[in-house]
Amino acid sequence: MTAAGQLATTTELLDYDEVLARFEPVMGMEVHVELHTATKMFCGCPTTFGAEPNTQVCPVCLGLPGSMPVVNEAAVESAIRIGLALNCSITPWGRFARKNYFYPDQPKNYQISQYDEPIATEGYLDVVLDDGTTWRVEIERAHMEEDTGKSLHVGGATGRIHGASHSLLDYNRAGVPLVEIVTKTISGAGARAPEVARAYVTALRDLLKALDVSDVRMDQGSMRCDANISLMPIGATELGTRTETKNVNSLKSVEVAVHYEMRRQGAVLSAGGEVIQETRHFQEADGTTSAGRRKETAEDYRYFPEPDLEPVAPSAEWVEELRGTLPELPWIRRARIQADWGLSDEEMRDLVNSGALELVIATTEAGAPADAARSWWVAYLSQQANTRGVELAELPITPAQLARVIALVADGTLANKQARQAVDGVLAGEGEPDEVVATRELAVMRDDSALQAAVDAALAANPDIAEKIRAGKVAAAGKIVGDVMKATRGQADPAQVKDMVIAACS
């Protein structure tokens, strides 16, 4: 079953083909990206992930009376670079605004954001779908703002406020720099709408990673996707009522959430009901969405210009200077690497989809041949990641360490079997590859006299097989080679052992 097909059946759903026969799906994606600046958006507090609750706060990010915000220049720089990479126009003069709403995790009772004067507007991102075709997603805006704190609801079964006995608040995240990237309406995708959504978020994540403005860890919340979905009857000209599925935190889940909402809304509309404009929560466990709160409009937030901050007015010279810092775009880099390595489109897609591409590249940059690096990451290490239930990049082995193992194989220090044992040792935390090789005594035996003695002993123990080899039946040498490898604990070179066996029987 595909990711998009992993749906729960507890809510009435319309068959997907029936949805497509009656409705046109319309999407809009809002992606919040935490910038990995050293300090927060408007104060000097650190932004380290995972710190003890409420240890990275100050009067400014707590909104205490008399505190004054100051804009983080590095965050503005990152926002401009994001806008340029998304082919946007950079606003030459813009103001921050106060977005007024009350939530317990927003200590000021308003959020400093941008409203009608975002830092970047009118761009696009071309994304590649699974069959290699390109889909252009138009970008409406990218604007700067600050993140909220984090609520922890305790005592309930779902981790949400409903059914919880009490809630705890951590304001460490309040004030962390955010850039929100908002697409224009995405329509015309039809059956491929879930795929387009996933491909867009994937391409955006890759772009942001290449820009080095965020670690884009969806599992840690440094990149969060809100998927707006509506259905428009075939032939209609007026958009349907949308829902906003909040904080979807994996690429697969983006696709599943869009697929589910299309079927759920299709069932509501087909039964004569009305879709409610609301936020919805995605349930990772079963791929469903559940109702959240009624969705506010812009008027509900009572935006007004932030009086305590100067306008942001990047000069044309600064913008062009930042344009010159943009890296080679991920898809252009991939095309170049694909040509250099002689890979087919399918092989390249497999590398990308498995999360192995950047690891292979880093391994080659550490000195390993591309074919060997690709083989290790796609085969053996992918198996290890699956066994551990982690992403490939989360394995406790670095590209440099793997490159060292590959080098040890190339210079004859390790045979393939011992190389896997060396990798296993690194994965187990036993140290660097050379330390593991020494501790586990994995190096190929170089003492020819000791090896010859092992060969002679094996031949003496199997005189009938030795006779067959002398009679020209070279294949019989396999048994002797196996015995020698066992006697040397796998430290001998099998090819060398075979040559010595045949020479001894000549």
Side-chain angles (χ1 to χ4, degrees):
M1 181 180 291
T2 64
Q6 295 172 355
L7 304 171
T9 58
T10 54
T11 299
E12 185 177 355
L13 304 174
L14 190 63
D15 181 79
Y16 193 63
D17 290 338
E18 182 66 19
V19 173
L20 298 171
R22 301 183 60 180
F23 304 100
E24 170 65 30
V26 179
M27 300 186 296
M29 311 301 289
E30 301 174 11
V31 175
H32 295 77
V33 182
E34 280 189 356
L35 305 179
H36 58 31
T37 54
T39 56
K40 293 185 180 182
M41 188 71 200
F42 302 113
C43 68
C45 290
T47 58
T48 307
F49 179 82
E52 286 297 312
N54 298 310
T55 58
Q56 299 182 163
V57 295
C58 72
V60 175
C61 55
L62 290 177
L64 299 183
S67 61
M68 294 289 287
V70 178
V71 175
N72 185 330
E73 182 179 357
V76 176
E77 178 179 303
S78 293
I80 294 173
R81 294 178 71 238
I82 291 171
L84 292 172
L86 290 171
N87 305 290
C88 291
S89 299
I90 303 303
T91 303
W93 190 94
R95 294 173 297 179
F96 282 99
R98 289 189 180 183
K99 180 180 181 182
N100 293 275
Y101 64 95
F102 171 74
Y103 290 109
D105 52 11
Q106 183 56 280
K108 294 192 295 287
N109 290 345
Y110 63 84
Q111 178 188 36
I112 301 178
S113 181
Q114 290 184 305
Y115 176 45
D116 53 354
E117 296 169 312
I119 189 70
T121 60
E122 300 295 329
Y124 65 86
L125 181 61
D126 290 330
V127 304
V128 179
L129 304 184
D130 292 342
D131 63 359
T133 60
T134 300
W135 187 281
R136 174 162 291 186
V137 176
E138 295 186 330
I139 306 297
E140 179 178 300
R141 59 189 281 148
H143 65 263
M144 299 179 288
E145 58 188 21
E146 59 180 339
D147 210 344
T148 63
K150 188 173 182 180
S151 299
L152 177 65
H153 305 298
V154 182
T158 64
R160 302 194 182 279
I161 194 168
H162 300 292
S165 60
H166 61 284
S167 298
L168 302 175
L169 297 174
D170 179 7
Y171 289 125
N172 280 349
R173 197 176 67 180
V176 169
L178 279 182
V179 170
E180 181 177 354
I181 302 163
V182 182
T183 70
K184 293 186 178 181
T185 297
I186 304 171
S187 60
R192 305 190 76 173
E195 179 190 350
V196 169
R198 172 179 51 79
Y200 165 70
V201 179
T202 301
L204 184 58
R205 184 190 64 170
D206 291 345
L207 177 62
L208 296 167
K209 185 180 292 185
L211 291 171
D212 193 28
V213 295
S214 172
D215 60 14
V216 291
R217 288 285 301 271
M218 297 185 76
D219 60 318
Q220 293 182 356
S222 57
M223 179 173 174
R224 310 191 291 272
C225 176
D226 298 342
N228 292 273
I229 310 296
S230 67
L231 295 180
M232 184 168 63
I234 298 295
T237 57
E238 185 176 346
L239 295 176
T241 302
R242 65 183 174 90
T243 63
E244 181 180 8
T245 302
K246 301 285 288 184
N247 297 334
V248 185
N249 64 1
S250 78
L251 300 176
K252 176 178 118 175
S253 295
V254 171
E255 184 174 9
V256 173
V258 172
H259 193 281
Y260 180 86
E261 267 302 286
M262 287 172 61
R263 293 188 62 189
R264 188 193 68 82
Q265 291 185 24
V268 171
L269 296 172
S270 296
E274 294 183 359
V275 173
I276 299 172
Q277 182 170 326
E278 62 185 355
T279 62
R280 296 187 66 83
H281 301 296
F282 181 71
Q283 310 297 331
E284 290 283 350
D286 58 9
T288 66
T289 67
S290 60
R293 57 181 170 82
R294 294 294 180 98
K295 181 63 179 173
E296 295 90 345
T297 64
E299 290 75 16
D300 294 323
Y301 291 122
R302 304 184 312 283
Y303 285 97
F304 67 85
E306 168 57 68
D308 293 334
L309 289 170
E310 293 286 336
V312 177
S315 67
E317 293 76 17
W318 188 33
V319 171
E320 288 310 306
E321 179 184 337
L322 292 177
R323 191 188 302 275
T325 69
L326 298 182
E328 183 180 26
L329 297 179
W331 37 93
I332 295 176
R333 180 168 174 251
R334 285 173 190 162
R336 173 177 58 78
I337 290 171
Q338 182 177 350
D340 290 346
W341 292 355
L343 301 179
S344 67
D345 291 344
E346 183 179 2
E347 288 173 325
M348 194 63 178
R349 282 198 298 273
D350 288 345
L351 271 179
V352 173
N353 293 338
S354 66
L357 178 60
E358 294 302 322
L359 295 167
V360 174
I361 292 171
T363 306
T364 62
E365 290 174 345
D371 286 347
R374 185 160 60 94
S375 176
W376 272 100
W377 285 111
V378 172
Y380 189 71
L381 287 171
S382 286
Q383 294 172 4
Q384 298 304 306
N386 289 336
T387 299
R388 294 166 178 243
V390 299
E391 296 293 328
L392 197 56
E394 295 174 357
L395 284 175
I397 185 170
T398 67
Q401 289 171 326
L402 178 61
R404 178 57 183 159
V405 173
I406 293 172
L408 291 173
V409 174
D411 68 15
T413 301
L414 294 177
N416 288 331
K417 180 179 178 181
Q418 283 67 41
R420 285 192 290 273
Q421 293 178 33
V423 167
D424 289 342
V426 175
L427 292 172
E430 297 173 15
E432 294 297 313
D434 289 279
E435 295 175 306
V436 174
V437 170
T439 302
R440 293 194 176 195
E441 299 181 348
L442 299 176
V444 170
M445 181 181 290
R446 294 301 183 191
D447 186 343
D448 286 351
S449 61
L451 192 55
Q452 186 64 59
V455 169
D456 293 343
L459 288 170
N462 298 276
D464 53 334
I465 295 178
E467 195 59 39
K468 289 181 181 179
I469 298 172
R470 294 188 185 97
K473 296 180 180 179
V474 178
K479 172 65 167 64
I480 305 299
V481 172
D483 287 352
V484 172
M485 294 302 295
K486 184 177 180 180
T488 59
R489 294 182 298 173
Q491 290 180 267
D493 180 349
Q496 181 185 5
V497 172
K498 183 178 180 181
D499 290 343
M500 293 177 73
V501 169
I502 294 173
C505 294
S506 299

